Every structure is written in C-alpha cells, then in structure tokens.
Amino acid sequence: MGRPRNTELDAALLDAAEELLLERGFSAITVEAVATRAGTTRPAFYRRFDGIPQLVLSLLLHRFAIDLDRVIDCGNLPADLEAIQRDQVELFANPLVSRSLAGFLDAVQTDADLRAVFVQEFLAPRRYGAGMIIHRAVARGEIPDNPNVEWACDLLTGPLLMRALMPGLSGLDDALIGQSVSSTLHALGYRSP
Amino acid sequence: MGRPRNTELDAALLDAAEELLLERGFSAITVEAVATRAGTTRPAFYRRFDGIPQLVLSLLLHRFAIDLDRVIDCGNLPADLEAIQRDQVELFANPLVSRSLAGFLDAVQTDADLRAVFVQEFLAPRRYGAGMIIHRAVARGEIPDNPNVEWACDLLTGPLLMRALMPGLSGLDDALIGQSVSSTLHALGYRSP
Amino acid sequence: MGRPRNTELDAALLDAAEELLLERGFSAITVEAVATRAGTTRPAFYRRFDGIPQLVLSLLLHRFAIDLDRVIDCGNLPADLEAIQRDQVELFANPLVSRSLAGFLDAVQTDADLRAVFVQEFLAPRRYGAGMIIHRAVARGEIPDNPNVEWACDLLTGPLLMRALMPGLSGLDDALIGQSVSSTLHALGYRSP
Amino acid sequence: MGRPRNTELDAALLDAAEELLLERGFSAITVEAVATRAGTTRPAFYRRFDGIPQLVLSLLLHRFAIDLDRVIDCGNLPADLEAIQRDQVELFANPLVSRSLAGFLDAVQTDADLRAVFVQEFLAPRRYGAGMIIHRAVARGEIPDNPNVEWACDLLTGPLLMRALMPGLSGLDDALIGQSVSSTLHALGYRSP
DNA sequence: GTATAACCGAGACGGTACGTCAGGTCTTGAT
DNA sequence: ATCAAGACCTGACGTACCGTCTCGGTTATAC
C-alpha cells in the first residue's frame, strides 16, 4: 500500500551514479553528489539504497544483467570458452567496471550483507555458466573427468582482473582472449582433435 | 636545521595504521584514528604523509621490502617460478595485503602521483625480477625466444589477485603454486627435459 | 457523500497530545509522535488540526472549558476576586498548562490566526468575567468609578504567570490568592466596610 | 593551548541570532540559518554553543549585562523601585526580549543545565538587587520588618511579563511604572512620610 | 652561546558529507 | 469522503573527519 515509488527516481539515481563513477571514480562519489545530480535528496536515496556500495552493485546488476536462459553453447569447448572470454573482456574493459571495481571490492570485504548479495546475484550466475560449459565438455569427452573448475575460472578471470586493476600494464585487448582460452584448455587437459 | 623529526612517531604511525587496517579494513581508516592510536595528532601525520593511501603504500613498502641484491636464481625455470610464487602466495595471503589491496588500488586509480610511486617502488622491482628469470631461461635454452613476459606475469599473479579480492572463493593455498607455475611454463613454451 | 470522520480519532489525538505534553513538554512534541501514539497517521492529524499549536489550543479549550452561564457572583468584590483567583491558581498550577504555556505563547506571537482564536476563545471570556465582577462592584458602590480593569487583571494574573513560567521560584500555592486579591482591591480603591 | 578562537565569529553569531530573532521569532530560528547569516557553518556554531537556547541566553546576557557595582541607591524606597521598574519596562519592551522570551522559557523548562545558568547569571543578580533595595528600606525604617521579598518581586515583574507575553493587551508603557511601584509599596507596608 | 628553524601537543579554523528525523503533502486501495 | 499505509520532497539536525593554521613550548644545529 501507500504511495507508490517514483520509478523514474530509481533510474535517475542509477544514471547519476554512473556519470559520477565515470567522471570521478568510486572513492570520490558521495551520496550528496549522487542525489543532487539525480535531482533529488539524500533521504530519497536512502529510501532505495543502503549506501554507495549497494547503489553501485545495483548499477552493475542493471547494466550487466545476465540472461540465464540464453546460455552459451557453441557445441565445443574452445568456442564456448572464447565466447565467455569475449564477454568478460568486454565487461572488464567497460569503464564503469574498471573505475568501480577496486572500491567496490573493498566495500565487499567489509560488509557481509553486501558480499552475500554480490556473490549470489553477480558472481554465482557467471560461475554457474562457466561450470556448465566445462561439465558439458566432460560429457562430450573433450576433457577428462573431474575438471578443476575453480582453477579454470581463476585462469579465465584472474588475468583480466589484473589488467583492470593493476596500474602500469597494457589495457584489456582481444589478444587476451586467445591466450587465456589456450591456457585454460591446457589446464583442463584438452587435446585438440 | 631545526628540531629533528621524532622517528619514533614514524614507526608509531605505521604500526597504528597496520593495526587499524587489520581491524577495520582500508575504507574505515581515518587520519584521525591513526594519529590518535599512534599517540599523536593530525598535523604530525600530515608532516610525514600526504594521506591515507600514501601511508598504506609506505606501510607496504616497509613490511614487504624487496631485496634486489638477493635475486632468485635456482638454476632452472620451474624452480625459479616456484620460488616467485611461494613469495607471491605469502604476499597475497598476508592479511595486511588482502585487507588493504582493494582500497589501495582504488586510490591508485585516482591519484597519479601515488600511482607513479607505487609502480616504481613496488611493482617494477617485482616485475623486473620475473623478467630476469624468464630471460635467463631463454639464455639457458629452456624456452623459445621472444617470451611473452607480460602474459606470464598475468598468469602468475592474476589468479592470486583474484583469490585475494573476490569473495566466495577458496583462500590462497599452496596448491596454487604448482598450478600457476605449470600453466606459466606451458604458456612460455617450456618442454620438460 | 463520503465516509464520515471517525470521531474517536479526535479524542485519541487530544489524549495523545496531553500525554506527550506532560511527559516531554511543548517543544518536544511532534506531529509524528502524536499521531503514532493516537494509533493513527499524520494525514489524519492534518485533516483535523493545522499544527501542534492549534492542537494544543484545542486541548486547552477542551480541558478548561469556560461556562459563561455559571458566572461568579458572591455578592461582594473580595469574595468574587477570591473565587476568580482560586480558579486561576488551579489553572496555572495544572501541569498541562504550566508545561505548554511558554511554548504555546511563543507560537501565538508568530501566528496571527492562532492568536486571534486564542484571544477570542480563551482569553476574552475570562477577561469578560473579571470585567463583569469589577463593574458590578462599581454598581454596588464598593469601589470608585472608572476602575482600571486592565491593571486589575495584570495584578491578578501577572504574578501567577510569573510563578508558572519563571524558574527558581516557589510554586503556585494558595497564599498567592489572598496576596493578589488584597493588592487588587487596593489598586481598585476598595475600602473595607 | 591550541589555535585561539576567532572572537569575531562569536560576535557574528550573536548578531545573526539577534537579527533572526527580531525578524522571525524564537521558534523559527535554526542553527543553519544563524550560521549562514553569520557567514560560517554549523560546526563552528556548535563549537561555541550547545544549541539555540544557549545562544539566546548568551545574547541576553551580552545585551543586558548587569553591572553589580553600579547598584541602584536613590536614598528612599519609592525612588529605588521606580528606578528598577524603569529598567524592567525597558527590558521587557525591548523587541529582542519580547520576541525570545516565551520560546526561551519553554526551553528552560525542559533543559535543567540551561535553567541553572539562566537562574544564576540572569535572574539571581536581578533578584539580589531588588532584595538589597528592600532590605535597605527596612534598615531605614521605611517599611516593617520581615518584608515578603518574593511577593514584591512578583508584583514588580509579573504584570510586565504578562504584557510582554500575552496577546491582545496594551503594550508596555511608562504608566506601568507608577502603578506597579504603588502596588508594591502598599504590599510592603510602606506609609508615605 | 645564542639565534633560528623545524619540530612537538593541542586545539581551533572553515568545510563537506554523513545518516537521521520530522515536516507537510500526495497517492493508492479499501471501507 | 474518509481510512491506513507509505511514498514524496524539503530542510534541518548534530556529528565525524577533512586538511590547515596558530599557538606556547621544546630541541638541535649552525652561526
């Protein structure tokens, strides 16, 4: 019951957060600035979000929604992994992600509730997708039984994360796709047919 | 001229920062809290450091000083990489690092001066060490010419960074050493003798 | 033509206001608290009252209703004045009045509409009563012509008001009745028979 | 020790409070408005005052400082009382007082600390002065022993308080001086020589 | 042997932003 | 037309820290 939420405000706050994130980076965002740019006030912000980290998570979930129905399946492991990595490079190369990631992960380490939502809504679906692909490859006989899925994920994502966060490195380019897929295939025991 | 700095205060500030970092995490540290715990005042802090990120960098440089003279050289590439990774796992597993890394990297993205010092004093020496090892392996004929050093570093460090920052994963254990060394050797074209 | 007002809510709001007034004083009352304690909501409050001062005035008018028909008339001036003062001491000694008076008078200074209602509904009838008594005394020949009614009222009410509002004084006790009556009689030129 | 207070800010805050008090009345003053008009910010305000009531008390104490050395002594009771009442009429007629009094007294009822300071710094000296005058009159033989000082003060101040606070009355004029002095003299048992 | 310059603690400065409370209003679905 | 519920936007609250400055008072080196 009660007066319904003004959904335009939700969108305005997310948009404002996106702009400020791109302009100034995570640590420089303030609730005040987000609310002002969205044309509203702090109380309206706090009615919707618990704080900046939760707002950023919301933003990430909206901008990088995952479609669990439209799961990748190219028919063979190399093509599947390449598709995953193409998505991941795009994700980490997106300024929205690269500007917010470090600060957001810092918040995640401190706030257990935030961490739980992040894992469940953002990370788990992506890991589930990768796990599916690998298990399908096992089923097809492309790779041996008992694949180390977690290590495969580390190999796929770790290097991209590094390029996104560590200063003084080359950026994220498509060369990383082939390299990481190749390393991952080897780690999973894939032998080219 | 003038009264010399009280060097005990430098140490006291670093110790205070370390304690607070471990207790509350990067984003919760304040200059006020550090100065108070060190038994001094904010002006004394600002005489020594430009801000919290610079303090944390100082702390990391003190606690994880690198000895460029005592460079790793076990005589063969697998042993050298294993030595590097043993060090790296120890580094990322250290709570001081895992609690401060994300927040610190966020600050690094924003502050160009901080970034320059971090790259020069912390990252470059470590990358230099890895580069040396790989080039020695080329000279020994263990691996082909023109090794992709940056990609090798990505493979060595990326997965560890991921375990340190991303929530919901297994921690950093010694199993990662063998896995990452193996992947890196393969990526460098190493063939076991 | 519409659902009728729930008259129990009117009473519930007045009761809630009385309780809060006695517990916390005028300046600490909020519309929110009154509505909540009355078991209703702010909109219901605002349908009935323009604000806290109007609510308090309503409360005073209800609790200290004046019966213009049952006018004091003891037959002689001293007895009439004593009757008036007995009522007035009771009024000012009532915690409901002493807790709300200062804050309410402050609101009255600011809000002209409120002032008009307060004067007309609360003050005027009481002054009218006092005026009646004095003019009857003139008619009886107890005091000279052209009595200064306003000054008499000041003498009757001023000291009680002072005891009610100023801190650090003795409270309102019955000794004030005799003293104020005596002073007023003298001011009106009364000579004991 | 420490950086000394900027005394101009103290004065600016008091001036701002005075202006706003005269323009809008006690209940409409906010810390925000006072600080803004004084050209500073809320934290600077709270470094000096505990709140609006304390600020107003400070203002009253500054604007109506009492000089205990320059005590009234005209040599006879009627002249002394007249001098007191001349001061008091001036006090209550001052818009600063009449606009702030009701709201301030409301705050005084709620806040025990404020009340203590108000009584000690503002009321007590004035009452002490009145007491002195009356006791001197006893010593001179102008009035009987054991004068009821409190009742005399009620008679002197009560009517003025009433004119200042109650709406719909004549203002404070000099006629009140003679009337109140006359009533007080009578109450004290003074017989004209 | 005494300036002088940089430090020390303390605590103020002018500020930004915090997260909250309450204001008075409006909208909804139901009575 | 009223009800409760609960949203809306506004404005102010009192607080925490920010980064800086001004003190009165130590130290030491450099004159």
Side-chain angles (χ1 to χ4, degrees):
Chain A
M1 264 226 258
R3 180 170 169 173
R5 280 248 167 96
N6 179 352
T7 51
E8 291 180 22
L9 262 189
D10 299 61
L13 286 166
L14 290 173
D15 290 348
E18 181 163 15
E19 290 174 32
L20 289 167
L21 219 36
L22 296 177
E23 288 171 18
R24 306 220 268 260
F26 184 90
S27 59
I29 309 188
T30 65
V31 174
E32 175 102 36
V34 171
T36 301
R37 167 127 5 166
T40 183
T41 55
R42 265 172 298 149
F45 174 95
Y46 283 111
R47 249 173 255 129
R48 287 151 224 270
F49 305 100
D50 286 339
I52 291 290
Q54 286 78 9
L55 166 68
V56 171
L57 176 51
S58 244
L59 182 59
L60 293 176
L61 291 174
H62 274 83
R63 295 294 185 267
F64 303 100
I66 197 158
D67 189 350
L68 281 174
D69 301 334
R70 196 190 54 72
V71 115
I72 290 166
D73 189 353
C74 308
N76 64 85
L77 183 59
D80 280 355
L81 292 182
E82 196 179 314
I84 281 187
Q85 286 304 79
R86 205 180 310 283
D87 282 1
Q88 282 215 102
V89 166
E90 198 185 338
L91 176 72
F92 284 109
N94 189 306
L96 187 56
V97 172
S98 57
R99 295 301 299 268
S100 61
L101 196 54
F104 178 72
L105 289 176
D106 183 57
V108 155
Q109 287 187 333
T110 305
D111 182 335
D113 293 346
L114 178 67
R115 181 163 58 243
V117 178
F118 176 54
V119 168
Q120 185 177 328
E121 304 290 327
F122 194 92
L123 295 182
R126 285 171 168 79
R127 285 180 198 152
Y128 176 78
M132 284 288 287
I133 281 168
I134 293 172
H135 288 118
R136 271 201 315 257
V138 172
R140 280 192 217 105
E142 291 181 287
I143 55 173
D145 280 358
N146 291 319
N148 188 337
V149 175
E150 188 170 20
W151 175 242
C153 289
D154 291 348
L155 276 176
L156 291 169
T157 305
L160 308 189
L161 185 67
M162 184 152 167
R163 292 287 177 96
L165 294 183
M166 283 287 183
L169 302 177
S170 325
L172 283 142
D173 52 54
D174 289 353
L176 286 174
I177 298 173
Q179 291 166 333
S180 59
V181 168
S182 165
S183 286
T184 308
L185 287 172
H186 175 256
L188 288 170
Y190 180 84
R191 297 282 165 251
S192 46
Chain B
M1 258 234 262
R3 175 174 174 175
R5 278 220 179 123
N6 180 351
T7 51
E8 290 179 22
L9 275 185
D10 300 60
L13 286 166
L14 290 173
D15 289 348
E18 182 164 13
E19 289 174 33
L20 289 167
L21 219 36
L22 296 177
E23 287 171 20
R24 308 217 268 258
F26 184 90
S27 59
I29 312 189
T30 66
V31 175
E32 176 102 38
V34 171
T36 300
R37 169 134 356 174
T40 184
T41 55
R42 268 175 296 146
F45 175 96
Y46 283 110
R47 253 171 246 129
R48 287 151 229 269
F49 305 100
D50 287 338
I52 290 291
Q54 287 77 9
L55 167 68
V56 171
L57 176 51
S58 243
L59 182 60
L60 293 176
L61 291 174
H62 273 84
R63 296 291 186 268
F64 303 100
I66 197 160
D67 188 350
L68 280 175
D69 301 334
R70 198 188 54 71
V71 116
I72 290 167
D73 189 353
C74 306
N76 65 84
L77 183 58
D80 280 354
L81 291 182
E82 195 177 314
I84 282 186
Q85 286 306 77
R86 205 180 311 280
D87 282 0
Q88 282 215 101
V89 166
E90 198 185 337
L91 177 71
F92 284 110
N94 189 305
L96 187 56
V97 172
S98 57
R99 294 300 298 268
S100 61
L101 195 53
F104 178 72
L105 288 176
D106 184 58
V108 154
Q109 287 187 333
T110 305
D111 181 335
D113 294 345
L114 178 68
R115 181 163 58 243
V117 178
F118 176 55
V119 168
Q120 185 177 326
E121 304 290 326
F122 194 92
L123 295 182
R126 285 171 168 78
R127 283 180 199 153
Y128 176 79
M132 283 288 287
I133 281 167
I134 293 172
H135 287 116
R136 268 199 319 255
V138 172
R140 276 190 220 108
E142 292 179 289
I143 54 173
D145 280 357
N146 290 323
N148 187 338
V149 176
E150 189 170 19
W151 175 240
C153 288
D154 291 348
L155 277 177
L156 290 169
T157 306
L160 307 191
L161 185 66
M162 183 151 170
R163 292 287 177 98
L165 295 183
M166 284 287 184
L169 302 178
S170 324
L172 281 143
D173 53 53
D174 290 351
L176 287 173
I177 298 174
Q179 292 166 330
S180 59
V181 167
S182 165
S183 286
T184 308
L185 287 172
H186 175 257
L188 288 170
Y190 180 86
R191 295 283 165 250
S192 48
Chain C
M1 47 157 263
R3 174 175 173 173
R5 259 198 199 151
N6 180 352
T7 52
E8 290 180 21
L9 275 185
D10 299 59
L13 286 166
L14 289 173
D15 290 347
E18 180 163 15
E19 289 175 33
L20 289 167
L21 220 35
L22 297 177
E23 288 171 19
R24 306 217 270 258
F26 185 90
S27 58
I29 310 188
T30 65
V31 175
E32 175 103 39
V34 171
T36 301
R37 168 130 2 171
T40 184
T41 55
R42 268 175 295 149
F45 174 95
Y46 284 110
R47 251 171 248 127
R48 288 151 227 270
F49 306 99
D50 286 338
I52 291 291
Q54 286 78 8
L55 167 67
V56 171
L57 176 52
S58 243
L59 182 60
L60 292 176
L61 291 174
H62 274 84
R63 295 291 185 269
F64 303 100
I66 198 158
D67 188 350
L68 279 175
D69 302 334
R70 196 189 54 73
V71 117
I72 290 167
D73 188 355
C74 306
N76 65 85
L77 183 58
D80 280 354
L81 291 181
E82 195 178 317
I84 282 187
Q85 286 306 77
R86 205 181 310 280
D87 282 2
Q88 281 214 103
V89 166
E90 198 184 338
L91 177 70
F92 284 110
N94 189 307
L96 188 55
V97 172
S98 57
R99 294 300 297 268
S100 62
L101 194 54
F104 178 72
L105 288 176
D106 184 58
V108 155
Q109 287 187 333
T110 305
D111 182 335
D113 294 345
L114 178 68
R115 182 164 56 244
V117 178
F118 175 55
V119 169
Q120 184 177 327
E121 304 290 327
F122 194 92
L123 294 183
R126 285 170 169 78
R127 284 183 201 150
Y128 176 77
M132 284 288 286
I133 281 168
I134 292 171
H135 287 118
R136 270 201 317 255
V138 173
R140 279 192 218 104
E142 291 180 287
I143 55 174
D145 280 357
N146 291 323
N148 187 338
V149 175
E150 189 169 18
W151 175 241
C153 288
D154 291 348
L155 275 176
L156 290 169
T157 306
L160 308 190
L161 186 66
M162 183 151 168
R163 292 286 178 98
L165 294 183
M166 284 286 183
L169 302 179
S170 323
L172 282 142
D173 54 53
D174 289 352
L176 287 174
I177 299 174
Q179 291 166 332
S180 59
V181 167
S182 165
S183 286
T184 308
L185 286 172
H186 175 255
L188 288 170
Y190 180 84
R191 297 281 164 249
S192 48
Chain D
M1 264 225 256
R3 179 170 171 174
R5 280 249 166 93
N6 180 352
T7 51
E8 291 180 21
L9 261 187
D10 300 59
L13 286 166
L14 290 173
D15 290 348
E18 182 164 14
E19 290 175 33
L20 289 166
L21 219 35
L22 297 177
E23 288 171 18
R24 308 219 266 260
F26 184 91
S27 59
I29 308 189
T30 64
V31 175
E32 175 102 34
V34 171
T36 300
R37 167 128 5 168
T40 184
T41 54
R42 265 173 295 147
F45 175 94
Y46 284 110
R47 252 172 248 131
R48 288 150 224 272
F49 305 100
D50 286 339
I52 290 291
Q54 286 78 8
L55 168 67
V56 170
L57 175 51
S58 244
L59 182 59
L60 292 176
L61 291 174
H62 273 84
R63 295 292 185 267
F64 302 100
I66 197 159
D67 189 350
L68 280 176
D69 301 334
R70 198 189 54 71
V71 116
I72 290 166
D73 188 354
C74 307
N76 66 84
L77 184 58
D80 280 354
L81 291 183
E82 196 177 315
I84 282 186
Q85 287 305 79
R86 207 181 309 281
D87 282 1
Q88 281 214 103
V89 166
E90 197 184 337
L91 178 70
F92 284 109
N94 189 307
L96 187 56
V97 172
S98 57
R99 295 301 297 268
S100 61
L101 196 53
F104 178 73
L105 289 176
D106 183 58
V108 155
Q109 286 187 332
T110 305
D111 181 335
D113 294 345
L114 178 67
R115 181 163 57 243
V117 178
F118 176 54
V119 168
Q120 184 177 327
E121 304 290 326
F122 194 92
L123 294 183
R126 284 170 169 78
R127 285 180 199 155
Y128 176 78
M132 283 289 286
I133 281 168
I134 293 172
H135 287 117
R136 268 201 318 256
V138 173
R140 278 192 218 105
E142 291 180 288
I143 55 174
D145 280 354
N146 290 323
N148 188 339
V149 175
E150 189 169 18
W151 175 242
C153 288
D154 290 349
L155 276 176
L156 290 169
T157 306
L160 308 190
L161 186 65
M162 185 152 169
R163 292 287 177 97
L165 295 183
M166 283 287 184
L169 301 179
S170 325
L172 280 142
D173 53 54
D174 289 351
L176 287 174
I177 298 173
Q179 291 166 330
S180 59
V181 167
S182 163
S183 286
T184 308
L185 285 172
H186 174 257
L188 287 170
Y190 180 85
R191 295 285 165 248
S192 48

